[in-house]
Amino acid sequence: AQTVTQSQPEMSVQEAETVTLSCTYDTSESNYYLFWYKQPPSRQMILVIRQEAYKQQNATENRFSVNFQKAAKSFSLKISDSQLGDTAMYFCAFISGGGEGYGGSQGNLIFGKGTKLSVKP
Amino acid sequence: DVKVTQSSRYLVKRTGEKVFLECVQDMDHENMFWYRQDPGLGLRLIYFSYDVKMKEKGDIPEGYSVSREKKERFSLILESASTNQTSMYLCASSSHIGDLSYEQYFGPGTRLTVT
């Protein structure tokens, strides 16, 4: 069974600094997708960034980037120039891929337990 | 923008009551999901549905049932609420279509307290 592990329950960072959140996963599959989701206090969970396992290039979205190490099964999230609005729970998630157009009953996300990030002024 | 809405943000019910949590999405997504979120445990999948009238058990289905009579609506039912079902409940949806079928969109959550 696939598992996702976030080893840092809580982290803090000073505003404008850089922080890295760790995530490791376990799977025997070669085709899968990885995500980082953000859940601000009392607000909706939103997708921050996604990475396809078949792509070697690390995904980036503005100040957010990932370090995807497929052999090590590691998927860390780097937040540059941290802002107060980055304060949130961050969840790493894995989903098995089944090829183009695949979906249906096996399109289920497996989440880590989350990392609570506090950005301090 | 995809919009997923849930019928209540906060709900307080008594032990033994039947509880309905409603979720509606407006993007014609085929897949819909119910999760339970508890501190230190992350999100755990209760039930999901990949088509109207179809449902499958997730990791923790005990004590819950679901209904999907229309594509846009997915209901979670607690037949007889118990205090250990006090939690945050999140609904999500996703599409079957191509690569984007793996991206889930979440509702705001319902914080249920059972007393």
Side-chain angles (χ1 to χ4, degrees):
Chain A
Q2 293 96 347
T3 58
V4 176
T5 302
Q6 293 179 249
S7 58
Q8 305 149 316
E10 291 193 41
M11 295 187 72
S12 65
V13 64
Q14 291 296 129
E15 197 174 7
E17 292 188 349
T18 295
V19 64
T20 299
L21 280 58
S22 301
C23 174
T24 58
Y25 59 94
D26 190 21
T27 183
S28 58
E29 299 188 15
S30 59
N31 183 24
Y32 52 87
Y33 296 75
L34 295 161
F35 304 86
W36 278 99
Y37 278 88
K38 170 185 177 181
Q39 187 181 39
S42 301
R43 291 180 62 189
Q44 209 142 337
M45 179 114 57
I46 57 172
L47 180 67
V48 175
I49 199 164
R50 69 196 293 262
Q51 174 80 43
E52 295 87 344
Y54 61 84
K55 289 187 178 178
Q56 291 188 332
Q57 187 172 7
N58 289 326
T60 62
E61 286 289 344
N62 301 314
R63 297 181 296 107
F64 297 88
S65 62
V66 298
N67 183 5
F68 174 48
Q69 302 287 329
K70 192 171 183 179
K73 296 180 182 174
S74 171
F75 182 61
S76 60
L77 175 70
K78 185 171 84 170
I79 306 174
S80 304
D81 186 26
S82 297
Q83 300 176 359
L84 296 178
D86 296 332
T87 292
M89 282 290 292
Y90 287 82
F91 292 96
C92 178
F94 166 101
I95 198 167
S96 172
E100 186 175 349
Y102 178 79
S105 65
Q106 295 192 36
N108 299 335
L109 281 170
I110 299 168
F111 286 88
K113 294 183 178 179
T115 296
K116 184 178 182 180
L117 177 67
S118 300
V119 180
K120 300 184 184 305
Chain B
D1 279 353
V2 175
K3 192 168 183 181
V4 180
T5 57
Q6 295 182 229
S7 51
S8 305
R9 289 300 302 271
Y10 301 94
L11 207 53
V12 180
K13 295 292 182 180
R14 293 192 180 275
T15 300
E17 278 193 86
K18 190 169 186 176
V19 181
F20 292 88
L21 302 183
E22 302 283 336
C23 176
V24 177
Q25 50 93 6
D26 67 357
M27 280 301 292
D28 202 35
H29 283 173
E30 294 82 5
N31 304 327
M32 295 189 76
F33 307 83
W34 274 107
Y35 294 92
R36 173 176 170 158
Q37 182 181 9
D38 298 289
L41 296 178
L43 276 74
R44 293 178 291 169
L45 182 64
I46 304 171
Y47 266 98
F48 61 98
S49 168
Y50 53 91
D51 202 353
V52 176
K53 296 191 185 294
M54 305 300 289
K55 60 184 179 183
E56 294 213 14
K57 294 180 180 179
D59 299 320
I60 52 164
E62 297 78 19
Y64 303 95
S65 63
V66 291
S67 172
R68 189 145 180 225
E69 296 296 319
K70 293 185 178 181
K71 190 176 185 180
E72 68 272 17
R73 188 179 298 270
F74 191 36
S75 302
L76 180 69
I77 304 156
L78 286 65
E79 294 289 342
S80 177
S82 64
T83 55
N84 63 12
Q85 292 178 311
T86 292
S87 187
M88 171 72 87
Y89 291 88
L90 296 178
C91 175
S93 71
S94 71
S95 171
H96 276 173
I97 307 302
D99 238 17
L100 296 179
S101 66
Y102 308 113
E103 186 168 329
Q104 292 189 14
Y105 297 85
F106 285 83
T110 296
R111 185 167 294 282
L112 173 67
T113 302
V114 183
T115 63

